[in-house]
Amino acid sequence: MRRVELLDCTLRDGAYLLQKKFGNTNIKGIISGLIDAKINIIEIGFLQNEGNEDGSTVYKNSREASKLILGDKKESIISVLADYSRYDISNLDDYDGKSVDLIRECFFKHEYHEAIQACKIIKEKGYKVFVQPVDILGYSDKELLELLDEINQLEPDGMSIVDTFGSMYQEDLHRVFEIINHNLLESCKIGFHSHNNMQLSNALSQEFVRISSGKRKIVIDGTISGMGRGAGNTPIELIAQYLVSKYGYSYDMDKLLDLIDTYMDNIRSRCNWGYTTSYFVAGCYSAHVNNIDYLSKKNSIRHKDIGLILNKIGSEERKRYNYDLLEQTYIEMMKADIDDTAAICELRHKMENKKVLVLIPGMTISTKRELIDDYIEENKPYIISVNFIHENIKSDYIYLSNVKRYQYWSNSKKFLETNKILTSNLINNQPLKNSVIVSFTRLVKRGWKLLDNSTIMLLRLLDEINVSNIAIAGFDGYFNREGENVNYYDRNLEVNHTPMSALDINKEISGMLLDFYLNRKSKSMSIEFITPSRFKKLIDFKENV
C-alpha cells in the first residue's frame, strides 16, 4: 500500500470563489474525472446546516451529497469538510457506504475541546474522521501537545497540518511535523493543507513527502490548477506528477489535464486566483485573504500600507476580517490632522460660481480631443486634471489624492511647475511647491469599497467651494480586456491592482456618483459630460427628473 495519498479539495476550497456554486454538471464531471485520475480522496464540499442549493457544494448530510456522485467510486473515497461553528452534527445521517466516507472537522483553537466531541459523534455514526485545526502555526508547542493528547483519545483516521494563512516556511513544516509525528498515535495519518501566498505550496508538499518517509502515512491536499481563495492552493497536478515521476505512483496525468481543459478555463473566466504581491503580504502577516481583497480595492493604498494596517489591527483581528475596523484603520492611516480652512477659502475665491473642466485620464481624452478643445475654446473654464498631467492640455491645477500617482508624477518637470491640489494623506511625502493641501477625511465618505476614488473626492471638493458648473472629460468607465490598454489614454497609467471586476468597479462608481449628486450642497450645480461616458445617462436622467 502506498504511504502517500492525495486529497483533492477543488469543490470545497475552490468553492469560495464561486459562492459555492459550481453547477451540477461541473460538480459531477469533476468528481468523475478525479475518480478516473485515481485521486485517493475527493472532497466534494461542505457540511452546513442550511443544506444544498441546486448546483452548490454545500450539503446538510450524506444523502444530499449522494445525488452528485455518479457510478462507482472505484478506489477513491469521498470526503466533506464540516466547520464546527457552522454545522450541527445532529444533522448528520449514519454512514451507509454509498456516499461520503470521510468527514474532516475544522475548528479554531478556542473550539477544539467541543470540536473533538463532535468528532466522536462522527465516528460513532460510522464515518472516517480527520481532525483539521485551523492555523496550526497559531498554536504554541505546549498548546499543540495538549491538542494531541485529546486527539489521541479520539483515535481519528488522521490529523492535518493546516497552513491557513500561507505563512509557512520549510523550517516551520519540519518543526510542526516532528512534534506531531512524535506524539500522535502511529495509526493516525498526518495531512498537509497549504496556501500559496509565498509561492511555496508545491515545494512544501514535496518536502512533506521527503521528511515523512519511513515515519508516517500522509495525505496531501491539492486543488485542480491550484484553485482557491487568494493565492490558491497546491496544484493537484503538480504534486501528482512529482509522485508519478519520482516514486512511481499511478495517478493518471492525462485525466487531470483533461479536467483542466474541460472545466478550469471556463471557471477562470468567472473568478481569479493565484500569487500576487498582496497575497504575499497576507502570508507575511498570517492574515485572512479577505482583508487583502478589501484593502486592495483602495485606490491610494500601497503594499507596504496594507502591511502597516495588518500590523496595526493585531494578530488576532487579521486572522479574521472586520471590514469596519479595516476601513477605520485605513482612514486613520491616510489622514493628516490639518486645518484646511485657508486652502478651501483660496480655492473658493478662485473658482466659486465658475465653470470647471475636470480631466480624467480615460481613452477619450485622446480619441475625443476635438470635443475637449471646442469646450475649452467656448467656455474658458478652470481646468483640473485628476492624478495626471496631459502633455498638450494646460491645466490650472492637478488634483492628487492617490499616493502611487503622486510618486509617479513627482519627478516630472512639468508636474513640478504646475499648480497642485493635494489631499492631506500625501503630505508625509513632503508636499511639492505650488501645492494647496486639503483634508483627506473631508472628501471621503465611509461605506464604499472605493471610498477614496479620486474623481468622486474631487467632485466633493468642487461642491465644497461652490463651483456652479462642472464639465467632465475622460470619465469613460472601466473595461476588462487583458493585455490591452483600454482604460487610460496613456499605457503607463494602466493598472490592475484591484480584485474587483470592471463591471463591479463601474457599479460602485455609479453608486458613489449618484450619491454625490443627490446629496450635493449646491442643488444648482450642473454636471455635463464632454466625452462619452458609462456614467453620463445616470446624471442626465437625474437632471431631467
Side-chain angles (χ1 to χ4, degrees):
M1 178 184 245
R2 300 289 192 182
R3 71 172 187 86
V4 181
E5 295 180 338
L6 293 185
L7 182 152
D8 183 274
C9 50
T10 304
L11 295 171
R12 198 270 303 171
D13 219 343
Y16 293 109
L17 299 175
L18 298 171
Q19 292 76 51
K20 302 175 183 175
K21 294 182 179 180
F22 277 87
N24 287 339
T25 300
N26 287 341
I27 296 169
K28 293 174 182 178
I30 289 171
I31 294 171
S32 296
L34 290 169
I35 290 172
D36 289 341
K38 302 179 183 177
I39 298 301
N40 308 95
I41 306 171
I42 302 165
E43 190 159 83
I44 64 171
F46 305 83
L47 288 179
Q48 289 185 0
N49 293 327
E50 57 267 30
N52 183 256
E53 293 181 31
D54 190 52
S56 81
T57 55
V58 174
Y59 320 103
K60 191 170 185 177
N61 50 47
S62 68
R63 286 191 301 274
E64 286 191 353
S66 67
K67 300 172 186 176
L68 296 169
I69 303 169
L70 301 178
D72 185 3
K73 293 185 283 186
K74 300 179 181 176
E75 296 180 4
S76 300
I77 70 171
I78 302 298
S79 75
V80 288
L81 184 132
D83 185 329
Y84 172 74
S85 61
R86 297 182 180 178
Y87 186 65
D88 184 344
I89 208 67
S90 66
N91 289 320
L92 183 63
D93 47 350
D94 289 338
Y95 175 68
D96 63 7
K98 299 176 182 179
S99 177
V100 174
D101 306 293
L102 165 66
I103 296 174
R104 303 204 293 175
E105 180 84 0
C106 76
F107 50 87
F108 289 102
K109 183 166 64 175
H110 68 276
E111 300 171 328
Y112 82 75
H113 297 295
E114 296 83 359
I116 288 176
Q117 293 305 310
C119 289
K120 289 181 180 179
I121 298 172
I122 293 170
K123 282 191 67 177
E124 290 169 0
K125 289 177 179 282
Y127 296 90
K128 298 178 184 294
V129 64
F130 251 68
V131 179
Q132 299 280 119
V134 172
D135 183 25
I136 200 71
L137 292 183
Y139 287 78
S140 67
D141 290 358
K142 181 175 181 294
E143 289 170 333
L144 187 52
L145 289 170
E146 291 171 351
L147 172 64
L148 288 166
D149 282 342
E150 292 208 27
I151 291 175
N152 284 337
Q153 294 174 42
L154 172 67
E155 298 185 22
D157 291 271
M159 171 194 179
S160 288
I161 297 170
V162 183
D163 182 19
T164 302
F165 303 110
S167 52
M168 185 173 280
Y169 289 101
Q170 179 176 296
E171 294 82 357
D172 301 312
L173 179 60
H174 280 240
R175 178 182 63 83
V176 173
F177 173 75
E178 292 302 334
I179 291 173
I180 295 175
N181 183 54
H182 282 98
N183 294 280
L184 184 66
L185 288 174
E186 291 184 6
S187 59
C188 234
K189 298 172 185 175
I190 299 178
F192 180 54
H193 180 94
S194 66
H195 295 100
N196 205 28
N197 297 45
M198 302 282 196
Q199 295 255 64
L200 290 174
S201 276
N202 185 45
L204 287 172
S205 296
Q206 292 183 24
E207 183 67 8
F208 188 55
V209 173
R210 289 189 287 270
I211 65 175
S212 62
S213 180
K215 299 178 181 179
R216 183 76 63 157
K217 290 181 180 179
I218 63 170
V219 176
I220 299 175
D221 288 15
T223 57
I224 304 168
S225 297
M227 184 183 183
R229 280 188 296 190
N233 300 71
T234 302
I236 195 78
E237 63 274 12
L238 296 188
I239 190 61
Q241 176 60 26
Y242 172 72
L243 292 171
V244 168
S245 63
K246 297 299 182 182
Y247 295 91
Y249 279 60
S250 59
Y251 300 112
D252 191 328
M253 297 308 302
D254 287 342
K255 297 294 185 183
L256 287 176
L257 292 174
D258 285 343
L259 281 171
I260 293 171
D261 290 337
T262 304
Y263 301 103
M264 302 314 290
D265 288 344
N266 175 265
I267 289 172
R268 277 191 182 275
S269 72
R270 292 184 277 155
C271 58
N272 296 304
W273 67 90
Y275 173 82
T276 65
T277 306
S278 298
Y279 294 131
F280 158 69
V281 174
C284 290
Y285 286 89
S286 295
H288 196 290
V289 294
N290 285 11
N291 293 301
I292 305 302
D293 288 343
Y294 183 83
L295 291 171
S296 295
K297 294 180 176 74
K298 308 306 179 189
N299 288 316
S300 194
I301 203 161
R302 298 164 295 180
H303 290 110
K304 68 178 183 181
D305 298 327
I306 293 175
L308 289 170
I309 290 172
L310 294 176
N311 187 59
K312 187 174 180 62
I313 65 176
S315 59
E316 291 305 313
E317 287 289 350
R318 62 179 178 250
K319 288 180 179 179
R320 294 170 175 77
Y321 45 96
N322 181 333
Y323 296 142
D324 288 338
L325 176 61
L326 290 172
E327 187 164 296
Q328 177 184 338
T329 308
Y330 169 73
I331 292 174
E332 288 174 354
M333 188 187 74
M334 288 288 107
K335 73 180 182 181
D337 188 15
I338 67 165
D339 180 356
D340 65 355
T341 303
I344 294 296
C345 288
E346 177 184 339
L347 295 172
R348 185 177 290 138
H349 176 73
K350 291 181 178 179
M351 286 182 269
E352 186 172 22
N353 297 320
K354 301 288 178 61
K355 291 183 177 182
V356 173
L357 172 61
V358 176
L359 299 180
I360 300 161
M363 286 292 288
T364 55
I365 287 287
S366 294
T367 60
K368 301 295 180 180
R369 173 68 186 277
E370 71 282 358
L371 297 177
I372 299 170
D373 290 341
D374 289 347
Y375 182 86
I376 294 172
E377 178 65 27
E378 181 179 345
N379 293 278
K380 306 295 188 295
Y382 263 85
I383 300 175
I384 302 176
S385 58
V386 179
N387 285 332
F388 82 109
I389 182 166
H390 198 284
E391 60 272 15
N392 296 317
I393 301 176
K394 179 176 172 54
S395 296
D396 295 288
Y397 283 101
I398 302 166
Y399 168 85
L400 280 152
S401 58
N402 185 314
V403 174
K404 287 176 281 191
R405 296 296 193 210
Y406 179 90
Q407 292 175 332
Y408 176 82
W409 289 109
S410 60
N411 294 316
S412 163
K413 182 179 178 182
K414 188 173 182 180
F415 176 74
L416 293 170
E417 293 172 348
T418 304
N419 291 327
K420 290 164 282 294
I421 301 171
L422 307 177
T423 50
S424 55
N425 57 306
L426 305 178
I427 63 174
N428 289 333
N429 293 303
Q430 295 301 316
L432 304 173
K433 65 178 182 178
N434 306 325
S435 299
V436 177
I437 312 298
V438 296
S439 171
F440 177 84
T441 51
R442 177 195 287 274
L443 304 181
V444 295
K445 185 173 182 178
R446 294 186 61 176
W448 300 96
K449 295 175 182 176
L450 303 177
L451 83 169
D452 59 348
N453 177 271
S454 297
T455 300
I456 303 299
M457 290 176 67
L458 175 59
L459 293 177
R460 294 191 185 114
L461 175 62
L462 297 179
D463 186 33
E464 190 74 31
I465 62 177
N466 300 329
V467 170
S468 60
N469 182 287
I470 298 173
I472 300 176
F475 199 21
D476 306 348
Y478 287 85
F479 302 84
N480 274 339
R481 291 181 198 160
E482 288 190 16
E484 297 184 46
N485 178 43
V486 294
N487 292 317
Y488 296 88
Y489 85 97
D490 183 344
R491 179 173 291 278
N492 291 319
L493 300 177
E494 195 79 36
V495 294
N496 185 27
H497 71 282
T498 174
M500 297 177 72
S501 68
L503 179 65
D504 288 339
I505 295 173
N506 292 329
K507 183 178 179 180
E508 178 84 353
I509 292 175
S510 295
M512 296 173 73
L513 181 62
L514 182 60
D515 176 78
F516 161 74
Y517 190 76
L518 294 177
N519 294 288
R520 67 195 190 282
K521 294 179 180 179
S522 175
K523 299 301 181 184
S524 61
M525 173 200 288
S526 65
I527 297 176
E528 60 180 312
F529 290 82
I530 305 304
T531 59
S533 169
R534 286 176 174 266
F535 312 113
K536 184 178 186 298
K537 291 182 180 180
L538 188 72
I539 297 301
D540 287 350
F541 174 76
K542 288 300 177 183
E543 289 204 338
N544 291 322
V545 171

